[in-house]
Amino acid sequence: MHAAYCSSKCSDRCSAAGVKDRCLKYCGICCAECKCVPSGTYGNKHECPCYRDKLNKKGKPKCP
């Protein structure tokens, strides 16, 4: 069930992304860890503090 939730939320989230496969990859990782994906294609990260606060090794936001 959860994989389907993430793939549908992430395909919505990444629908406007320039690099779609990369967006989907990171969104999927973040969704699996946070069990949450913000609404819309951009922003709204206050809806998912876990998703918002994840950083990559360079200290930049990890989740699209």
Side-chain angles (χ1 to χ4, degrees), residues 2 4 8-9 12 17-18 25 27 29 38 40 44 50-51 54 62:
H2 220 75
S8 93
K9 293 291 259 181
D12 290 347
K25 175 186 170 187
C27 179
I29 292 167
N44 300 322
C50 163
Y51 188 101
K54 285 207 169 300
K62 179 172 184 169

Side-chain angles (χ1 to χ4, degrees), residues 4-32:
Y5 168 83
C6 288
S7 67
S8 93
K9 293 291 259 181
C10 288
S11 62
D12 290 347
R13 184 75 179 167
C14 294
S15 62
V19 189
K20 201 169 223 167
D21 53 348
R22 188 177 165 155
C23 180
L24 289 168
K25 175 186 170 187
Y26 285 103
C27 179
I29 292 167
C30 295
C31 178

Side-chain angles (χ1 to χ4, degrees), residues 30 33-36 45 48-55 63:
C30 295
E33 291 177 9
C34 296
K35 299 171 181 51
C36 179
K45 290 190 176 181
C48 296
C50 163
Y51 188 101
R52 176 192 67 207
D53 296 342
K54 285 207 169 300
L55 301 176
C63 308

